[in-house]
Amino acid sequence: EGAALVGSGGMGGLVSSLADSLDVVRDTWVAAVQREESSSGESRWKIYNDSRATKELRAEKEFEYVVVAHCGKCAERLMRNANAPFAHRLLRAKFGPGVPRDDQLQIRR
């Protein structure tokens, strides 16, 4: 049937192998991201090491994709001012004892 992939030394090995041909920055503190759209309609991301978005991770480079591997609350905070409302809407969560509205994400046991 389909092909199977196995990560040698864990799933990190699989991801590293798939990313060999890409320019990937990992294990980096990111305090802010900003999505910018070019005149041709393509999106690019700038990544910052400070929350005021003044110190770029790589000033000479704009990234095509951003992968956020963090808890939902921190990911929401990171994307809040990123000029990416479509992504931010998916991350919004409200923690509390009440039942969420139908249009809110809910996690049930």
Side-chain angles (χ1 to χ4, degrees):
E1 292 190 21
L5 301 173
V6 178
S8 175
M11 291 305 292
L14 176 64
V15 174
S16 293
S17 177
L18 291 171
D20 275 347
S21 64
L22 304 173
D23 180 15
V24 177
V25 178
R26 296 178 5 179
D27 299 325
T28 302
W29 171 254
V30 175
V33 295
Q34 187 65 41
R35 179 180 157 268
E36 296 180 353
E37 200 167 307
S38 68
S39 57
S40 64
E42 293 181 5
S43 293
R44 295 289 186 253
W45 294 87
K46 290 190 176 189
I47 302 174
Y48 300 93
N49 290 354
D50 66 320
S51 59
R52 295 181 188 194
T54 58
K55 185 179 176 189
E56 285 188 58
L57 176 64
R58 289 190 184 172
E60 76 284 356
K61 183 162 179 66
E62 293 178 336
F63 296 88
E64 293 179 57
Y65 301 96
V66 174
V67 176
V68 179
H70 212 297
C71 70
K73 191 174 183 180
C74 293
E76 185 275 331
R77 188 177 299 132
L78 183 65
M79 298 305 291
R80 184 180 303 155
N81 298 315
N83 189 28
F86 56 90
H88 181 246
R89 266 193 305 275
L90 295 172
L91 295 167
R92 289 179 53 203
K94 183 177 181 182
F95 299 93
V99 176
R101 299 186 320 255
D102 287 339
D103 64 339
Q104 289 179 325
L105 175 67
Q106 23 185 332
I107 300 172
R108 297 183 181 187
R109 292 185 191 202

